Amino acid sequence: MRRPSPLPPTPGSSSGSPRDPEPPAPAGREAREAEVVALPLPPAGGESEPDAAELGLRDVWRASRARRRALRAEVRRFTVRQRRRRRVWIGVGIAFVVMVLGTAGAAYSPLFAVERVDVVGTSQLDAATVADALSSQVGTPLAMVDDSAVKAALVRFPLVESYTLEARPPHDLVVRIVERTPVGVVQTPAGYTLVDAAGVVLSTTPTAPDGQPVIDAAGGTDAEPFHAVGRVMRALPDGIRSQVTAVSATTPDDVTLTLGATGTKVVWGSADRSAEKARVLDLLMQKSPPDRTKEYDVTSPEAGVLR
């Protein structure tokens, strides 16, 4: 059975149920509602499109930073040996520089100042006298010892031919002296002058000193005959040299020696091959002593002659 449809309310009537449809809206209102409905809805989660774009850039930046970190970690992992070697070499270099600077600082400091001067190698000179002449170096750091001042002090000793300085930390300065070797005396108006092979005057006395031969060389100590005599005397062994009482030479090629009280002559000739001639003379003297021989001739060392 069909239910009757409710009649539409008449215009102007105030009655009606709550479910009654509302009266149609004006045209302008419908347009506005349509516009509202047409607006896009915001994405889920309540974020707008600008926020989503910002989130995308942040993720890209974070990924890029993570990639750079991973790359640096890989580089460090593959270069760890190289960096370790570099650190070792840097440490060695720093230690070396510190050691050099420390050594140099200590060497030039009063910690290594001279407190004692030791003179060695003297036989004719008094070592204490030489050390006293070098006392000005006491208190000077070993690395700053003035060589020119040492030389000026030793020049006053004619017997000093050469010298060397040796520093013995912490406080000793050793001076090694090489003395001049006298070869004989030369008679002068002032007396008898002791000279070495170079003609350097060592001392002068009124009388001839014992154990030193009298040299008679033409032209004086600056001439070639005297230089030849000096070379011959330095080549003689001590056993023979101690027996020589006189030496003469008019040219560099006719050096002649006189032995002892017997007055035995040794015809030497030139100073060439003096070491060989000295050995031959020693053999001849052993075969025939000077008291039984008037002359030895070693001009030619291959054939020594006795007369």
Side-chain angles (χ1 to χ4, degrees):
M1 184 175 176
R2 298 178 60 183
R3 302 177 76 177
S5 298
L7 294 175
T10 58
S13 174
S14 59
S15 63
S17 69
R19 296 181 179 178
D20 292 341
E22 295 181 358
R29 181 178 178 184
E30 291 177 357
R32 286 193 300 272
E33 289 179 355
E35 291 177 1
V36 172
V37 172
L39 291 175
L41 296 175
E47 295 182 356
S48 61
E49 284 187 356
D51 292 340
E54 182 180 356
L55 179 60
L57 291 175
R58 187 179 301 149
D59 290 340
V60 171
W61 180 77
R62 287 175 178 173
S64 176
R65 186 172 64 175
R67 182 174 177 275
R68 289 195 299 270
R69 287 179 178 174
L71 182 59
R72 286 196 295 268
E74 288 297 309
V75 171
R76 286 195 298 270
R77 184 167 68 89
F78 283 103
T79 60
V80 61
R81 289 186 176 181
Q82 181 180 359
R83 287 183 285 109
R84 186 180 296 116
R85 287 195 299 267
R86 187 184 300 117
R87 287 195 297 267
V88 170
W89 281 111
I90 292 174
V92 171
I94 293 174
F96 178 76
V97 171
V98 171
M99 180 185 68
V100 170
L101 293 178
T103 303
Y108 287 90
S109 70
L111 295 175
F112 290 90
V114 177
E115 293 184 359
R116 183 175 60 209
V117 178
D118 292 332
V119 178
V120 297
T122 59
S123 59
Q124 304 173 73
L125 286 170
D126 181 28
T129 303
V130 177
D132 185 64
L134 299 173
S135 60
S136 62
Q137 300 303 313
V138 174
T140 304
L142 287 171
M144 299 179 66
V145 170
D146 190 353
D147 187 71
S148 61
V150 173
K151 181 178 180 180
L154 294 179
V155 163
R156 295 180 291 173
F157 300 92
L159 281 172
V160 177
E161 181 176 4
S162 63
Y163 69 91
T164 57
L165 300 179
E166 178 184 344
R168 288 184 180 177
H171 303 297
D172 291 350
L173 176 66
V174 179
V175 183
R176 297 188 179 277
I177 301 291
V178 176
E179 294 181 337
R180 295 185 183 276
T181 303
V183 295
V185 293
V186 177
Q187 192 169 8
T188 63
Y192 290 88
T193 301
L194 185 67
V195 294
D196 70 349
V200 176
V201 176
L202 306 180
S203 63
T204 301
T205 58
T207 58
D210 294 335
Q212 297 296 339
V214 178
I215 299 174
D216 182 14
T221 56
D222 294 330
E224 288 301 321
F226 177 83
H227 295 160
V229 169
R231 291 173 59 189
V232 171
M233 293 300 295
R234 296 195 68 166
L236 292 176
D238 292 339
I240 297 177
R241 186 184 180 283
S242 62
Q243 301 181 50
V244 177
T245 56
V247 187
S248 63
T250 57
T251 69
D253 299 322
D254 67 346
V255 178
T256 302
L257 311 179
T258 301
L259 302 179
T262 62
T264 303
K265 301 296 182 181
V266 178
V267 181
W268 196 275
S270 70
D272 297 336
R273 304 173 66 183
S274 288
E276 297 178 44
K277 293 179 180 181
R279 287 194 294 270
V280 172
L281 177 60
D282 186 37
L283 293 174
L284 293 175
M285 292 177 67
Q286 292 179 23
K287 182 178 180 181
S288 177
D291 57 356
R292 291 186 298 174
T293 306
K294 296 180 63 174
E295 185 178 277
Y296 301 99
D297 191 337
V298 291
T299 304
S300 176
E302 289 84 2
V305 178
L306 293 172
R307 296 186 180 93

